[in-house]
Every structure is written in structure tokens, then in C-alpha cells.
Amino acid sequence: MTESLSKEKDQPDVPAPPAPDPAGIGATLRSMREARRLTVVEVSHRLKFSVRQIEALETEDWARLPTGMSLRGFVRNYARYLEADVDSVLLLLDH
């Protein structure tokens, strides 16, 4: 048991990915996607965005996403694909 603890101490600290706001845009989009039983891969193929970009949006990892109009377009297309109220979803992006 002490061996496993010492191995953990030897490993460098890796920052955990940011946790999405439970009421934020990432969690909202993920919930809608899961409610439609869609995988990230299916969304990726349909929207022509990488799996990493979909995951970054759903975890609100803004550093891995484009900014400005590119991000708004990405969110708009994702919301439209999920048949969500696009304007409401975009409002979440602005907060």
C-alpha cells in the first residue's frame, strides 16, 4: 500500500480539467445531447467539428476553443442540431 502512495507522490501534478458550470452552456448542451442519445462522435461527424472541440465546449474549456464569431457559430450550429432554442443557448454563452 505504501508503494502505491509513493508512486502517486512521484508523479507530477497534472491540473484537472475545469468543471463545467452545472447551469452553464457546456452542461446544458451535454444534457441535451445525452437526452437525444447522441454520442460526441456523432455530433462531431454531423457538425464537422473535432471530438476535442465538442468535449471542450461541453466542459467549458475555453482555452481549447476558438473565440468570437467562430465560437458563436459553433454554438449556434450545435444548438440548432439539438433542436434547441438557439437564442437561449447563445444567451448562456454570453454569461
Side-chain angles (χ1 to χ4, degrees), residues 15-21 56 58-62 64:
D21 177 355
E58 290 186 356
T59 59
E60 299 180 21
D61 186 357
W62 306 117
R64 294 175 45 204

Side-chain angles (χ1 to χ4, degrees), residues 33 38-47 49 51 54-55:
R33 175 181 57 76
L38 296 168
T39 66
V40 173
V41 172
E42 290 170 319
V43 173
S44 170
H45 285 224
R46 174 75 165 128
L47 297 180
F49 285 97
V51 168
I54 304 293
E55 290 171 342

